[in-house]
Amino acid sequence: MAIIPQLSLFGWEEIEELGDLERLRLVMEAMPDEKLMQTLETERKQGRNDYPIRAMWNSILAGIVFQHESIEKLRRELARNGQLRHLCGFQGQVPSSWAYTRFFKKLLHHADLIQAMFDSLVQELRKLLPDFGKHLAIDSKAIPSYARHKTRNRTPDGRRDTEATYGVKTYRGVKEDGTPWEKVVRWFGYKLHLIVDAVYELPVHFSLTPAHVADITEAHRMIDHLEESRPEMLEHAETLAADKAYDDTKLIRRLWDDHQIKPVIDIRNSWKDGESTRSFTKWENVVYTYKGEVYCVCPVTGKERTMTNGGFEKGRNTLKKRCPAKQYGISCQGMSQCSVAQGIRIPLAEDRRIFTPIDRSSYAWEKAYRRRTAAERVNSRLDCTFGLEKHTIRGEQKMRVRCGLALCVMLAMAVGRIKANQAEKMRSLVA
């Protein structure tokens, strides 16, 4: 917390209730920013202190909490609201636009301290919420840059964004009538990659890249970073949900083999020869689809039936499948001749993309995959509530710091709400 000296006795600001400013107070008290404040104050040394470092920092937090899209809107609010000025720590006039520009330039040199604040808040949430980080989801969001696009002249001129790149996402599906559809989204800018807690819908790790960087490439880098800096998060996690962009055998192997995290990742149909099923090498009358559905074929009638799920055997790394005739009481003419009537065990090694510790054809997989939407809701709040949908930011480092600040405020608000016995509002910035 950027502590402000004790308020004057019987000031009107103390007599009047904080009201909506209570949200800012929660964030200010929960934010672990003391190291950043000391660093900035040391850099200022004996320089002019017209606008104290701590007051400037608190006003930046106020701009995010109260959803001011620009510094000028924040300055107008500070000029109008004396109680807000006092809470931030200003004793005199509102800082100039140039003062905020200089302050932001200083913050850009301390992105590592903002990252440390984010990590500290994640650790604090782990103490407050013992199951925080148990179920994870990963996703990315496009952040368009509204500056002028690149030209052959790579020299920065303040108008163009020379670090942004072009990105594209393709969405495919099938309509109810069976016809395929495709949607292609293109943008110029950046991409924010997030790992979030899928239950509490709060960020656990983030990374910002130019728009062209593939989701799966950055996912491996994020796992690398967690292995080095916060291995306890990977040890605590049980599942990780993701969409088809993260359908990668190496990632699936890495999550389960190295960290015992069950991958719940949607799968693409990569069978190019048009076949709908494939046979196992071990069983002649058992086939499977690319979605992990397993069927036994009656040796007499040739009829296919879906085999029932028998769970996962961790010690053997196998999925159990049971005879549907026995489980459902179905009459099967070929049961006496069937070689799989007693059930089968499918090794994950049969196909690591298709066969995962949570059976893709089970209700448990569907339930776990639904948690993936937590990442989409976090992305939506960043756009609508934290101001990333409409911005005037140019440059990768500026965007990284701005995203880091927004995510720190999101976590600090959650910590503040929990400590204030308002856990039901931990995800809300405006309530």
Side-chain angles (χ1 to χ4, degrees):
M1 172 184 176
I3 300 173
I4 302 301
Q6 184 174 355
L7 302 179
S8 59
L9 187 61
F10 300 127
W12 66 267
E13 298 89 349
E14 297 175 69
I15 298 173
E16 187 176 337
E17 292 184 359
L18 286 177
D20 196 41
L21 297 181
E22 181 68 19
R23 294 187 285 129
L24 176 59
R25 185 189 64 80
L26 288 175
V27 171
M28 287 167 56
E29 291 183 351
M31 191 69 71
D33 50 15
E34 187 58 29
K35 186 173 182 180
L36 175 62
M37 295 299 99
Q38 291 178 0
T39 301
L40 293 175
E41 288 172 341
T42 300
E43 290 178 352
R44 178 172 283 188
K45 296 181 181 179
Q46 302 301 319
R48 291 178 58 180
N49 199 34
D50 296 339
Y51 310 118
I53 291 292
R54 294 170 188 264
M56 292 289 291
W57 169 250
N58 288 337
S59 68
I60 295 297
L61 298 181
I64 298 174
V65 171
F66 298 123
Q67 301 171 275
H68 293 297
E69 299 165 356
S70 66
I71 288 300
E72 289 308 311
K73 286 187 177 181
L74 171 61
R75 292 183 65 248
R76 286 195 293 270
E77 177 66 16
L78 287 169
R80 182 190 66 82
N81 192 334
Q83 196 177 17
L84 175 59
R85 289 199 306 273
H86 201 86
L87 183 61
C88 289
F90 293 116
Q91 301 299 324
Q93 62 182 357
V94 175
S96 63
S97 300
W98 178 236
Y100 277 108
T101 299
R102 293 196 305 269
F103 188 78
F104 270 115
K105 285 183 178 179
K106 289 182 179 294
L107 286 180
L108 294 180
H109 298 300
H110 300 292
D112 57 330
L113 294 180
I114 294 175
Q115 178 68 53
M117 288 164 49
F118 177 89
D119 295 341
S120 177
L121 287 165
V122 171
Q123 294 303 320
E124 181 69 16
L125 280 170
R126 285 199 63 203
K127 296 176 184 177
L128 296 171
L129 305 169
D131 57 342
F132 181 75
K134 185 176 180 180
H135 299 289
L136 303 176
I138 185 171
D139 199 7
S140 69
K141 72 173 270 58
I143 304 181
S145 174
Y146 300 104
R148 293 183 180 180
H149 294 196
K150 287 183 176 180
T151 63
R152 293 180 180 179
N153 180 11
R154 298 301 180 90
T155 305
D157 58 8
R159 296 185 298 274
R160 294 174 295 120
D161 195 331
T162 58
E163 296 174 318
T165 59
Y166 294 92
V168 59
K169 274 193 173 184
T170 304
Y171 303 89
R172 296 183 178 91
V174 179
K175 298 179 181 178
E176 293 182 359
D177 59 2
T179 58
W181 61 268
E182 180 178 284
K183 178 182 178 182
V184 180
V185 178
R186 295 181 176 87
W187 76 99
F188 174 77
Y190 301 95
K191 190 184 286 186
L192 178 63
H193 307 262
L194 283 174
I195 298 178
V196 307
D197 180 279
V199 176
Y200 296 104
E201 298 178 12
L202 293 169
V204 171
H205 187 54
F206 77 96
S207 173
L208 185 98
T209 66
H212 74 278
V213 177
D215 291 352
I216 187 59
T217 301
E218 193 60 24
H220 281 286
R221 292 175 187 162
M222 295 172 81
I223 298 296
D224 288 339
H225 186 274
L226 288 176
E227 287 176 345
E228 296 174 3
S229 61
R230 286 183 286 160
E232 69 280 358
M233 292 299 302
L234 296 175
E235 294 173 4
H236 181 65
E238 292 186 4
T239 65
L240 186 141
D243 60 20
K244 294 179 181 179
Y246 300 90
D247 176 23
D248 175 62
T249 303
K250 291 182 180 178
L251 180 62
I252 292 172
R253 286 179 179 272
R254 185 176 187 182
L255 290 173
W256 177 245
D257 295 352
D258 298 347
H259 305 291
Q260 297 295 287
I261 298 175
K262 296 176 181 177
V264 186
I265 302 174
D266 200 5
I267 191 170
R268 298 186 299 268
N269 185 0
S270 59
W271 292 0
K272 302 300 183 182
D273 51 8
E275 57 187 338
S276 57
T277 60
R278 287 182 178 178
S279 301
F280 289 95
T281 55
K282 189 175 181 180
W283 306 285
E284 294 181 355
N285 63 323
V286 181
V287 296
Y288 64 95
T289 69
Y290 79 94
K291 290 186 176 181
E293 300 160 333
V294 179
Y295 302 91
C296 59
V297 183
C298 177
V300 175
T301 64
K303 184 175 182 177
E304 290 185 358
R305 293 187 176 92
T306 304
M307 300 191 74
T308 62
N309 300 316
F312 174 65
E313 294 180 313
K314 185 176 180 180
R316 293 177 171 174
N317 250 16
T318 58
L319 292 173
K320 292 177 65 177
K321 292 290 184 177
R322 294 170 176 166
C323 172
K326 287 188 175 181
Q327 296 300 313
Y328 299 137
I330 301 172
S331 176
C332 178
Q333 298 180 25
M335 182 178 293
S336 59
Q337 307 172 32
C338 183
S339 60
V340 297
Q342 302 302 318
I344 62 175
R345 289 186 173 92
I346 304 173
L348 299 187
E350 182 76 28
D351 192 315
R352 294 301 298 268
R353 284 181 62 245
I354 296 176
F355 300 109
T356 58
I358 301 180
D359 197 323
R360 288 184 179 274
S361 62
S362 66
Y363 293 115
W365 193 93
E366 292 180 4
K367 181 179 178 181
Y369 185 70
R370 283 197 294 269
R371 299 194 191 106
R372 183 193 62 83
T373 57
E376 295 178 353
R377 286 189 285 274
V378 172
N379 287 337
S380 178
R381 292 205 298 273
L382 286 171
D383 271 344
C384 302
T385 308
F386 289 86
L388 294 185
E389 189 172 29
K390 297 179 181 179
H391 65 85
T392 56
I393 302 168
R394 300 168 186 171
E396 184 175 351
Q397 184 70 349
K398 290 181 182 178
M399 184 63 73
R400 181 175 292 107
V401 169
R402 179 63 179 84
C403 291
L405 289 175
L407 293 170
C408 283
V409 169
M410 186 184 293
L411 293 178
M413 180 63 79
V415 171
R417 295 285 195 193
I418 295 171
K419 291 184 176 180
N421 296 319
Q422 301 174 9
E424 71 281 359
K425 298 180 180 179
M426 72 171 73
R427 293 188 290 268
S428 176
L429 184 69
V430 298

